[in-house]
Amino acid sequence: MDYTTQMDAARKGIVTEQMETVARKENMRVEDLMARMAKGTVIIPANRNHLNIDPEGVGDGLRTKINVNLGISKDCCNIDVEMEKVRHALKLGAESIMDLSNFGKTREFRQALVKESGAMIGTVPIYDAVGFYEKNLSDITADEFFKVVEAHVEDGVDFLTIHCGMNRRTAERIDKHDRLTSIVSRGGSLLYAWMKHNDAENPFYEYYDRLLDICEKYDVTLSLGDGCRPGSIHDATDAVQVQEMIELGELTKRAWERNVQVMIEGPGHMALNEIAANMVLEKRLCHGAPFYVLGPLVTDVAPGYDHITSAIGGAVAAASGANFLCYVTPAEHLRLPTLDDMKEGIIASRIAAHAADIANGLPGARTWDDKMSQARADLDWEAMFSLSMDEEKARAYRESSKPEHEDSCSMCGKMCAVRTMKRLKEGKNIQLDD
């Protein structure tokens, strides 16, 4: 092999199979794709050990992608249930799955997930470390943290979320700043606690080159985690969040020097009017690296409906520069999501992603909508169902309330405007009482 990573290949002018696949999916010339990959503004997460991957590109000029979180925990450790979620997530069109497992047979689940999924797979190794070693967080050594990372990449994980920006400088900013919700990132809080207990630097920051060695060897994308993402709209765009983003920008340049692909993770909770500016800030401070956002959730008062608060923020974020949306389910802040919760979250995120692609003028994005509009104008229900983002739900709604006449619905009946105009164009009389 004449290259180490997809970025290295792009910089050397080598067209890989993954690049050809992504260029075809995106209706893009492979030369244009390679130019963006060489600069770091587009990535193709594809671990060499993930043999069945159907690669996707993430970054500027490409379709907005979505990620689904799942995994086993101490309270919900049924691998079969989580694998059923995997199959449904793939069926519903998720391009990425993150395994957030932190208890029990985590490696067994991860290996099964990689084998089952053609979508790209991400993990957060520090979640796994405590359960893996069965000892207190503060007693885990730097070497032990890295051994867990190596196990994940050996299993075929395509991208790793690691909170390298949670260093001493960032921690000092947290200590001085009066945040309402402090640290809400699980990985960020674990590393912050480890640093405090051991009076030591974050090992993933201190030994960052060792992490890059691992990523380069397996061509694993580094997803630089947002340990200081705002957990409330009160804390959005504060000095703590920005301090970490500055650190992530410097780490991005160091990764690119090694041809390691990078994406940046971002907020969190954020008022609607702050989102666009935050996207610009990230792109500027992190040199155009792809931006992977959780939400942003635009209000804090809708538990049970946070898939909606997230989709609102996600649409604005993706229309303003974000490239990758992490789904949020109605169960966010409340419990581990069920299969139905997961479905609601996926559809909400896909709506946000597609709406942003339309707003961004992505070639072909409107074609799907135009086909649906034509089906509606024709009152072609079967075509409408087949074009629906969730065909099953659309059919169920239609069947639950059948109209008197097939060329209408139970909302308007014969007074349906589309029916009226269609009949006029066909030269038919409009009789509302027949």
Side-chain angles (χ1 to χ4, degrees):
M1 187 180 292
D2 297 325
Y3 62 90
T4 56
T5 67
Q6 294 291 325
M7 175 179 255
D8 185 39
R11 288 173 168 175
K12 290 177 177 177
I14 299 171
V15 179
T16 67
E17 292 182 10
Q18 292 85 354
M19 293 177 194
E20 290 178 334
T21 299
V22 170
R24 183 174 63 253
K25 288 181 177 182
E26 301 289 344
N27 296 312
M28 175 182 285
R29 294 192 325 133
V30 72
E31 294 81 7
D32 295 335
L33 178 68
M34 291 174 69
R36 297 177 193 195
M37 293 180 67
K39 291 193 302 180
T41 60
V42 166
I43 58 174
I44 301 179
N47 187 325
R48 293 195 186 91
N49 287 356
H50 192 176
L51 302 180
N52 63 327
I53 190 171
D54 183 9
E56 295 283 356
V58 177
D60 291 347
L62 310 186
R63 289 178 295 107
T64 306
K65 307 306 189 299
I66 71 162
N67 171 72
V68 170
N69 291 336
L70 40 76
I72 54 176
S73 67
K74 189 170 184 177
D75 292 318
C76 300
C77 56
N78 190 318
I79 290 178
D80 292 336
V81 169
E82 292 307 295
M83 287 305 301
E84 184 66 17
K85 291 180 185 178
V86 170
R87 287 185 278 274
H88 273 74
L90 297 174
K91 180 181 178 181
L92 289 168
E95 291 93 359
S96 170
I97 294 174
M98 283 201 78
D99 173 17
L100 306 186
S101 296
N102 57 61
F103 179 82
K105 298 179 180 179
T106 58
R107 191 162 203 184
E108 179 182 328
F109 176 69
R110 184 168 61 250
Q111 290 174 341
L113 171 60
V114 171
K115 185 177 181 180
E116 178 84 19
S117 174
M120 53 186 160
I121 304 298
T123 60
V124 190
I126 194 171
Y127 291 179
D128 195 22
V130 176
F132 184 83
Y133 291 111
E134 296 184 340
K135 61 193 215 180
N136 290 332
L137 172 69
S138 59
D139 295 332
I140 299 175
T141 66
D143 278 342
E144 287 173 331
F145 278 131
F146 278 98
K147 285 178 182 177
V148 173
V149 171
E150 289 168 354
H152 282 226
V153 298
E154 287 171 1
D155 289 341
V157 169
D158 303 297
F159 65 93
L160 299 170
T161 291
I162 303 200
H163 302 83
C164 305
M166 178 61 76
N167 58 21
R168 284 188 181 273
R169 284 187 295 272
T170 307
E172 288 172 4
R173 183 73 67 178
I174 293 168
D175 294 339
K176 294 176 181 177
H177 200 82
D178 185 24
R179 269 190 153 194
L180 185 61
T181 49
S182 191
I183 301 173
V184 298
S185 159
R186 193 188 328 177
S189 65
L190 290 173
L191 280 170
Y192 178 84
W194 187 92
M195 293 164 63
K196 289 293 184 182
H197 286 316
N198 291 282
D199 190 24
E201 181 58 278
N202 176 354
F204 294 117
Y205 179 80
E206 185 173 5
Y207 305 111
Y208 188 60
D209 286 330
R210 181 175 176 180
L211 181 60
L212 296 180
D213 288 340
I214 297 170
C215 291
E216 183 181 25
K217 180 179 178 181
Y218 292 88
D219 194 5
V220 170
T221 296
L222 187 55
S223 187
L224 291 172
D226 52 339
C228 299
R229 69 173 178 266
S232 61
I233 60 173
H234 177 277
D235 295 339
T237 325
D238 67 356
V240 177
Q241 178 194 338
V242 175
Q243 171 71 48
E244 185 182 37
M245 196 178 295
I246 292 170
E247 300 290 346
L248 299 184
E250 294 303 309
L251 293 169
T252 296
K253 290 192 293 185
R254 288 177 58 186
W256 285 349
E257 289 170 1
R258 297 284 302 276
N259 292 311
V260 171
Q261 300 184 101
V262 174
M263 62 181 164
I264 309 297
E265 298 188 13
H269 294 235
M270 184 166 288
L272 197 66
N273 61 308
E274 295 182 52
I275 295 174
N278 265 263
M279 302 306 109
V280 174
L281 187 65
E282 182 277 339
K283 292 289 182 174
R284 182 63 61 89
L285 292 179
C286 297
H287 320 291
F291 202 15
Y292 172 29
V293 298
L294 175 67
L297 282 68
V298 296
T299 178
D300 299 330
V301 297
Y305 297 92
D306 277 327
H307 59 311
I308 298 174
T309 68
S310 170
I312 294 169
V316 176
S320 304
N323 311 107
F324 194 17
L325 303 180
C326 186
Y327 93 145
V328 171
T329 77
E332 186 77 8
H333 303 112
L334 302 171
R335 66 170 188 194
L336 191 75
T338 65
L339 194 62
D340 287 340
D341 295 330
M342 186 192 74
K343 179 178 178 180
E344 292 294 314
I346 291 173
I347 296 299
S349 290
R350 287 192 62 199
I351 292 169
H354 183 60
D357 289 345
I358 293 171
N360 289 330
L362 206 70
R366 286 178 177 264
T367 303
W368 186 6
D369 296 75
D370 290 343
K371 288 180 180 178
M372 176 61 86
S373 296
Q374 185 61 60
R376 284 175 173 155
D378 295 338
L379 291 171
D380 185 341
W381 294 100
E382 283 303 314
M384 285 185 249
F385 296 146
S386 67
L387 289 164
S388 297
M389 196 171 285
D390 182 356
E391 179 177 351
E392 182 180 317
K393 187 169 187 176
R395 284 186 181 277
Y397 269 57
R398 171 75 174 171
E399 292 298 320
S400 70
S401 182
K402 296 287 286 186
E404 180 183 0
H405 294 274
E406 187 61 28
D407 61 349
S408 65
C409 76
S410 58
M411 177 74 169
C412 299
K414 293 180 182 179
M415 295 180 68
C416 170
V418 176
R419 179 179 186 270
T420 296
M421 298 310 296
K422 185 175 184 293
R423 290 173 72 87
L424 284 173
K425 288 179 181 179
E426 293 171 350
K428 298 178 180 178
N429 291 329
I430 306 302
Q431 299 291 339
L432 299 181
D433 57 352
D434 63 0

